[in-house]
Amino acid sequence: MAETEESQVPLWFRGKWQKAGAYVLFQRFAKIFIGCLAAVTSGMMYALYLSAYHERKFWFSNRQELEREITFQGDSAIYYSYYKDMLKAPSFERGIYELTHNNKTVSLKTINAVQQMSLYPELIASVLYQATGSNEFIEPVYFYIGIVFGLQGIYVTALFVTSWLMSGTWLAGMLTVAWFIINRVDTTRIEYSIPLRENWALPYFACQVAALTGYLKSNLNTYAERFCYLLISASTYTFMMMWEYSHYLLFLQAISLFLLDIFSLEKSDKVHEVYKIYIFSLFLGYLLQFENPALLVSPLLSLVAALMLAKCLQLNVKKGTFVAKIVKVINFYLVCTLTVTLNIIMKIFVPHKENGHMLKFLEVKFGLNMTKNFTMNWLLCQESLQAPSQDFFLRLTQSSLLPFYILVLIICFLSVIQVIFRRINGKSLKETVSLEDGRIGERPEIIYHVIHSILLGALAMVIEGLKYVWTPYVCMLAAFGVCSPELWMTLFKWLRLKTVHPILLALILSMAVPTIIGLSLWKEFFPRLMTELTELQEFYDPDTVELMTWIKQWPCAISSFLEPGTIPSTEQIYQIYSKRSAEDIYKILTSYKANYLIVEDAICNEVGTMRGCRVKDLLDIANGHVVCEEGDKLTYSKYGRFCHEVKINYSPYVNYFTRVYWNRSYFVYKINTVISFQS
């Protein structure tokens, strides 16, 4: 019998081969273990840092419960109040019923607060708090903020993993985390308002992007691909449930995948599997969000449905031929046309209030229309909806993030363009791209991130609030690039470097450049971070504390107090800061069945805001109480500003309103049920 090939190999060679294989396996395992340990540690350290910084900033543990709640500044405080309501409810079912039939948030209206305000984070937090028995050893507020800080740790870990998957080294993940923390003023709003929906949602989006990055990789085994697919499914759905604007971000992601697919830069099967995840998440979200019509009229659903229809109509034509190129152009046009058509049809047949105000806002912002509407002009004046300031770019440049991001983006973008032209000319892509090829633009996950980053960046250049979505991926993409030998090799291929071996130089630079960046960041910014943790900051708002304490002493419901800004309010309630008569204001407030009125002195005497953007200025424009220079026939009001006049306590104001409480910042008036006319 003939001996097998294995038996013909000398024993001494087989032993060395097995040892070499075991060494390579151990080396790979050690690399993965150290990287995972670094990723998890980075997330945990960031969460602990946020907790410590929050404690130092607000002296949180030394404050009473009411003072702690006041630290949730702005509209976000109302989210925490719903969390407390769930904990106070006699049962979970009763708590759900009260939130879905809420008549305290909006005067004279019963709303489904869970659907309209995306209260799923509060529902989950309340369930976990009670189910885990945390009520026996931790206060509700600490459990609430602890979950959010923990999610931020997951956020950082997901960015770490994404950069690691793209570059092949966990050094990129460490640099990503460093840039993220140093630029945290522009990467997250967690310091200013913990309960914001984006603070709950974006960590899941980061997990989804990390899983999608792994899923798009060419050399993925079956088990890893299945794991990534399941993680994409779970994180996509959770992200959609946590934030009412999540489907817009997923829409941009779907566009990126569509462009990836249209040039045959990735197997269409993978991309269409992701489309199926979108459909499933939208359908399940629609059902569990009380048949939310916003998801049915979302551009994401229209785009994915158009892509599915276009796939069914797509012809099987040999790739690389002229006919195939024509079919690609037709397919692109077909998808765009179908998307717009389907979206219009859905809006005709599905009752909704979605997108109307957004389209009007965009028209006014880009100068296509003009308005005197108070709400619209107030939105246009918000800093988060303005174009980014020069300080934003200066901060990113000082931390060296922006220069390296631009360098990496240019190299990757040009490489992608090069690959597209190769495809147009009929050249097929390689199954695996080696380091010697210097073609980083052939990797599907890189192409996706380049397109997605450009789309997010374009929007962030128009609306500053979107920088909190874009900047974290700037950190990730820049860190991946400087740590990737393939990127340096791509650059050297273009430069036709011959004096030094390009592969060796690429490997050296991929280690040396991030090390130098890391050391410089450590030297300049680490002392600042430590100083922030050692310095005690002061949060002092006694006037608000006194007001809330006084309100709690009254048996009447909080909804009987009306103050613009404290609860969702309308332009009508803001009229207390306009030039209207006492009788007009009285009629407005009694129509909301309010018993008390709160006047905030800071709004009444506002001077610091940009001219024309103060609340009283916007009201005067809306009411026609100012003279415009453009020839509009507007006249001054014959009445003084109500918030000033009511403080003087003379007729007719005292006939309608009786002051019952005041301090340096707030004035509370009882709205008289019986009008007593005094001379």
Side-chain angles (χ1 to χ4, degrees):
M1 251 180 104
E3 293 182 349
T4 61
E5 291 183 6
E6 184 178 352
S7 63
Q8 294 175 358
V9 177
L11 292 175
W12 63 270
F13 183 80
R14 269 190 280 168
K16 287 187 176 181
W17 180 80
Q18 290 174 351
K19 288 181 179 179
Y23 175 75
V24 172
L25 186 62
F26 173 77
Q27 192 178 32
R28 183 178 299 176
F29 173 79
K31 179 182 178 182
I32 294 175
F33 176 78
I34 294 174
C36 291
L37 183 64
V40 174
T41 302
S42 298
M44 292 178 61
M45 293 298 292
Y46 179 61
L48 292 173
Y49 167 79
L50 287 177
S51 179
Y53 179 78
H54 182 260
E55 172 63 29
R56 290 287 180 174
K57 183 177 182 180
F58 296 110
W59 299 13
F60 208 68
S61 60
N62 296 322
R63 295 191 177 275
Q64 299 177 354
E65 181 182 1
L66 179 60
E67 293 178 296
R68 291 173 181 172
E69 295 173 10
I70 291 174
T71 62
F72 298 146
Q73 300 174 14
D75 295 336
S76 65
I78 196 171
Y79 294 117
Y80 179 74
S81 70
Y82 291 124
Y83 167 71
K84 288 203 311 178
D85 290 342
M86 282 296 298
L87 296 181
K88 293 176 182 177
S91 65
F92 178 76
E93 293 78 10
R94 183 61 188 176
I96 291 289
Y97 179 83
E98 290 179 355
L99 289 184
T100 54
H101 299 78
N102 180 278
N103 57 6
K104 297 180 180 179
T105 302
V106 180
S107 298
L108 305 182
K109 288 185 180 180
T110 298
I111 65 170
N112 184 340
V114 178
Q115 177 187 340
Q116 294 193 20
M117 305 193 70
S118 297
L119 298 182
Y120 291 93
E122 283 66 35
L123 298 184
I124 295 172
S126 62
V127 169
L128 290 176
Y129 182 72
Q130 294 175 333
T132 58
S134 300
N135 53 338
E136 297 179 0
F137 56 89
I138 187 172
E139 297 179 49
V141 66
Y142 279 106
F143 187 84
Y144 185 84
I145 66 175
I147 293 179
V148 183
F149 290 155
L151 286 174
Q152 299 308 301
I154 294 174
Y155 194 177
V156 165
T157 299
L159 292 173
F160 184 112
V161 172
T162 305
S163 187
W164 180 15
L165 287 171
M166 294 171 65
S167 64
T169 172
W170 51 265
L171 187 63
M174 298 294 290
L175 186 56
T176 300
V177 174
W179 266 328
F180 182 92
I181 297 175
I182 289 169
N183 295 282
R184 70 185 187 283
V185 174
D186 302 303
T187 57
T188 177
R189 286 197 284 187
I190 188 68
E191 295 180 14
Y192 306 105
S193 195
I194 292 175
L196 284 177
R197 302 299 83 181
E198 64 193 60
N199 293 334
W200 289 87
L202 290 180
Y204 295 103
F205 185 59
C207 292
Q208 192 253 22
V209 170
L212 182 60
T213 302
Y215 186 67
L216 292 176
K217 290 175 73 71
S218 301
N219 56 345
L220 205 63
N221 61 55
T222 305
Y223 295 104
E225 183 175 306
R226 189 174 301 169
F227 172 77
C228 289
Y229 181 82
L230 292 175
L231 184 57
I232 293 171
S233 303
S235 54
T236 300
Y237 170 69
T238 309
F239 175 56
M240 194 173 292
M241 294 294 288
M242 292 291 171
W243 196 18
E244 64 269 30
Y245 299 117
S246 58
H247 57 87
Y248 291 112
L249 278 185
L250 294 175
F251 172 67
L252 293 179
Q253 187 181 73
I255 292 176
S256 304
L257 293 174
F258 168 58
L259 294 176
L260 178 65
D261 180 42
I262 199 70
F263 295 107
S264 298
L265 298 174
E266 170 62 0
K267 295 178 181 178
S268 296
D269 293 340
K270 278 191 175 182
V271 174
H272 282 271
E273 286 298 320
V274 180
Y275 295 157
K276 293 178 183 178
I277 293 175
Y278 292 148
I279 292 289
F280 174 77
S281 299
L282 284 167
F283 175 72
L284 192 59
Y286 171 74
L287 293 179
L288 296 183
Q289 290 185 12
F290 307 93
E291 299 183 356
N292 186 4
L295 296 181
L296 293 183
V297 300
S298 68
L300 175 63
L301 179 60
S302 301
L303 174 61
V304 175
L307 289 166
M308 293 294 188
L309 289 173
K311 181 177 174 60
C312 296
L313 300 173
Q314 194 169 355
L315 301 174
N316 291 322
V317 183
K318 185 178 179 181
K319 294 182 179 180
T321 63
F322 177 76
V323 177
K325 297 173 185 177
I326 297 298
V327 169
K328 285 289 184 185
V329 175
I330 295 174
N331 184 54
F332 180 82
Y333 174 77
L334 180 63
V335 169
C336 295
T337 306
L338 279 175
T339 300
V340 176
T341 304
L342 289 174
N343 194 251
I344 293 174
I345 292 174
M346 291 299 292
K347 288 180 178 179
I348 291 174
F349 290 100
V350 177
H352 70 286
K353 297 180 181 179
E354 189 73 8
N355 300 332
H357 63 284
M358 186 173 293
L359 291 176
K360 292 179 182 177
F361 167 78
L362 292 175
E363 287 179 1
V364 177
K365 182 173 179 62
F366 293 112
L368 302 177
N369 200 353
M370 292 187 67
T371 182
K372 295 177 182 177
N373 181 268
F374 169 80
T375 304
M376 194 63 61
N377 287 327
W378 183 81
L379 287 173
L380 289 168
C381 286
Q382 297 304 300
E383 184 178 351
S384 60
L385 297 177
Q386 303 293 322
S389 62
Q390 293 183 353
D391 292 339
F392 167 63
F393 299 103
L394 181 61
R395 288 191 299 268
L396 297 188
T397 303
Q398 288 174 341
S399 64
S400 72
L401 174 59
L402 189 60
F404 282 108
Y405 168 74
I406 294 174
L407 173 65
V408 171
L409 185 64
I410 289 175
I411 295 174
C412 291
F413 180 75
L414 292 178
S415 183
V416 170
I417 296 298
Q418 189 178 36
V419 171
I420 291 174
F421 276 109
R422 287 173 60 85
R423 291 294 299 149
I424 292 175
N425 293 329
K427 297 180 181 179
S428 60
L429 301 179
K430 288 187 175 182
E431 289 292 330
T432 56
V433 181
S434 62
L435 179 59
E436 293 84 357
D437 295 328
R439 295 179 187 171
I440 198 169
E442 287 193 7
R443 291 172 53 187
E445 70 273 19
I446 304 300
I447 301 167
Y448 157 71
H449 278 289
V450 168
I451 299 173
H452 200 191
S453 177
I454 291 174
L455 291 177
L456 289 175
L459 291 176
M461 295 304 102
V462 178
I463 300 176
E464 185 177 17
L466 291 175
K467 71 179 181 180
Y468 299 107
V469 180
W470 177 61
T471 313
Y473 297 98
V474 170
C475 300
M476 179 270 298
L477 200 64
F480 135 75
V482 298
C483 296
S484 174
E486 288 182 77
L487 183 129
W488 296 110
M489 191 62 195
T490 302
L491 180 61
F492 296 153
K493 277 283 187 178
W494 294 340
L495 298 177
R496 298 181 179 179
L497 187 66
K498 296 181 180 179
T499 54
V500 183
H501 198 284
I503 296 180
L504 178 61
L505 185 58
L507 291 171
I508 292 174
L509 287 178
S510 65
M511 293 291 292
V513 173
T515 302
I516 294 172
I517 294 173
L519 291 174
S520 63
L521 293 177
W522 178 279
K523 182 179 179 181
E524 182 176 355
F525 293 98
F526 183 75
R528 300 184 189 179
L529 296 176
M530 292 298 101
T531 301
E532 290 176 350
L533 294 180
T534 55
E535 286 185 349
L536 283 173
Q537 301 185 39
E538 186 176 10
F539 176 78
Y540 188 67
D541 191 4
D543 294 341
T544 304
V545 173
E546 290 175 6
L547 173 65
M548 297 305 295
T549 303
W550 180 83
I551 290 176
K552 285 190 173 184
Q553 294 174 353
W554 289 83
C556 53
I558 190 69
S559 58
S560 64
F561 289 84
L562 280 185
E563 177 201 7
T566 55
I567 59 174
S569 48
T570 66
E571 177 183 349
Q572 289 297 307
I573 298 175
Y574 272 106
Q575 293 294 329
I576 64 175
Y577 301 107
S578 68
K579 297 178 179 180
R580 300 280 293 271
S581 67
E583 183 180 2
D584 287 345
I585 301 299
Y586 181 81
K587 289 179 179 179
I588 291 172
L589 298 180
T590 51
S591 68
Y592 285 92
K593 295 185 178 180
N595 297 322
Y596 294 87
L597 165 68
I598 302 176
V599 175
E600 188 173 353
D601 210 41
I603 299 178
C604 189
N605 299 318
E606 191 176 7
V607 292
T609 312
M610 181 174 58
R611 184 181 178 184
C613 281
R614 298 177 300 181
V615 169
K616 52 188 179 183
D617 295 337
L618 297 175
L619 287 168
D620 290 346
I621 293 173
N623 295 335
H625 293 161
V626 294
V627 177
C628 295
E629 297 177 358
E630 300 176 359
D632 293 338
K633 296 181 180 180
L634 303 176
T635 59
Y636 285 106
S637 172
K638 63 180 180 179
Y639 301 104
R641 197 167 303 281
F642 175 82
C643 60
H644 287 310
E645 301 296 325
V646 74
K647 296 176 187 177
I648 304 176
N649 284 332
Y650 68 88
S651 182
Y653 296 92
V654 292
N655 303 333
Y656 298 99
F657 307 98
T658 303
R659 187 165 64 190
V660 293
Y661 174 84
W662 71 93
N663 59 30
R664 291 176 299 179
S665 301
Y666 300 97
F667 293 80
V668 181
Y669 296 88
K670 188 178 186 303
I671 302 172
N672 299 331
T673 53
V674 178
I675 304 175
S676 58
F677 291 94
Q678 304 175 18
S679 56

